[in-house]
Amino acid sequence: MPNKRNYQRELEKEISNIKEGNVPRLLIHSCCAPCSSYCLEYLSDFFDITVLYYNPNIEPESEYLFRIEEQKRLINEMNFKHPVSFIAGEYENRLYHETVRGLEEEPEGGLRCEKCFRLRLQRTAQLAKSDKFDYFTTTLTISPLKNAEKLNNIGEELSKKYGVRYLCSDFKKKGGYLRSTELSKQYDLYRQNYCGCVFSKREASMRDKRHEQEDK
């Protein structure tokens, strides 16, 4: 049985290989401001970062727009060693539903989520290629609920397809997730209790109802 890859160690090795005085351009897909907080704090010491907010799974559109504003506010309020800029992706919710059609009853973390990851990472890879970024990556690996191996496999596959280096990660490691919660409190960031899609919102609602019944 092959050894499980240590993506955090691979990330550290990649960073250590950056030549002194060189600041590579990194396009990072962000799922939300709270998850991006630690990633930006960490990576901005080594990269010139552009944050791409592209999450067509989020509903309703008002939620999408609100999370964009939180992302922009965080970037404006944080201090970075190297520049961090922002791109707001189009709200393509219809495309998301076309992508996951037939998988509506899949549990969270299953094939529906994998299709969603691929949709968002593919758009990131396409933009990274067209705008000549040195690397692309995603904040999604900071979540304890997201499968880092699955995300990195998709990223590496797209890296080969589009010819842009993918920055492997497992941002939750080395206290990354804990630091993101600290930064979220520090900047008073909006933290939602579901990933953004109607299916995760439904599951979150069912969990809340179960907890209410257990507390009675």
Side-chain angles (χ1 to χ4, degrees):
M1 187 174 179
N3 291 330
K4 192 172 182 181
R5 289 172 62 181
N6 186 321
Y7 295 108
Q8 174 60 29
R9 191 174 297 154
E10 290 184 30
L11 172 59
E12 291 169 358
K13 183 178 180 180
E14 188 70 30
I15 288 172
S16 72
N17 288 333
I18 297 173
K19 293 180 180 178
E20 188 174 351
N22 182 35
V23 185
R25 296 178 66 229
L26 169 66
L27 182 64
I28 183 167
H29 162 264
S30 174
C31 54
C32 62
C35 286
S36 75
S37 58
Y38 165 73
C39 304
L40 296 178
E41 180 184 64
Y42 175 31
L43 296 176
S44 62
D45 280 353
F46 312 102
F47 298 93
D48 178 338
I49 297 175
T50 296
V51 174
L52 171 63
Y53 188 87
Y54 177 71
N55 300 289
N57 56 309
I58 291 174
E59 293 183 56
E61 186 174 7
S62 58
E63 176 81 8
Y64 188 84
L65 296 174
F66 185 73
R67 294 193 196 188
I68 282 178
E69 292 307 311
E70 283 292 274
Q71 183 71 75
K72 288 161 65 176
R73 179 172 69 84
L74 176 67
I75 292 170
N76 288 333
E77 292 182 7
M78 285 187 78
N79 294 315
F80 304 110
K81 180 177 179 179
H82 295 114
V84 175
S85 53
F86 178 74
I87 297 173
E90 278 187 71
Y91 182 60
E92 298 179 317
N93 186 244
R94 182 178 295 178
L95 174 60
Y96 164 72
H97 281 283
E98 290 172 357
T99 301
V100 302
R101 183 174 295 138
L103 302 170
E104 291 83 358
E105 300 305 316
E106 280 275 311
E108 193 164 357
L111 185 56
R112 185 185 66 241
C113 290
E114 186 173 339
K115 291 270 191 180
C116 179
F117 296 158
R118 185 175 296 277
L119 173 64
R120 291 186 276 174
L121 279 169
Q122 179 161 299
R123 184 56 54 86
T124 309
Q126 290 170 334
L127 183 58
K129 180 180 180 179
S130 65
D131 285 12
K132 296 180 170 58
F133 281 86
D134 299 297
Y135 293 91
F136 73 99
T137 194
T138 179
T139 65
L140 285 165
T141 65
I142 200 167
S143 170
L145 301 177
K146 302 291 189 292
N147 186 317
E149 182 177 13
K150 189 176 292 184
L151 285 160
N152 284 302
N153 285 343
I154 293 170
E156 289 180 324
E157 180 187 323
L158 293 170
S159 173
K160 292 176 184 176
K161 180 177 180 179
Y162 291 100
V164 183
R165 283 178 290 182
Y166 175 73
L167 197 65
C168 287
S169 70
D170 195 353
F171 291 120
K172 70 179 74 67
K173 300 294 186 181
K174 288 200 166 182
Y177 176 71
L178 177 60
R179 179 59 180 157
S180 75
T181 62
E182 293 170 349
L183 287 166
S184 296
K185 291 176 183 176
Q186 180 180 335
Y187 290 96
D188 193 26
L189 297 175
Y190 163 66
R191 292 181 65 87
Q192 60 288 334
N193 68 341
Y194 69 107
C195 89
C197 69
V198 291
F199 312 109
S200 63
K201 189 172 185 178
R202 179 181 64 196
E203 288 193 23
S205 177
M206 290 170 63
R207 283 196 304 269
D208 290 343
K209 286 179 180 178
R210 283 199 302 267
H211 292 156
E212 287 176 6
Q213 291 173 351
E214 289 169 1
D215 292 340
K216 286 182 180 179

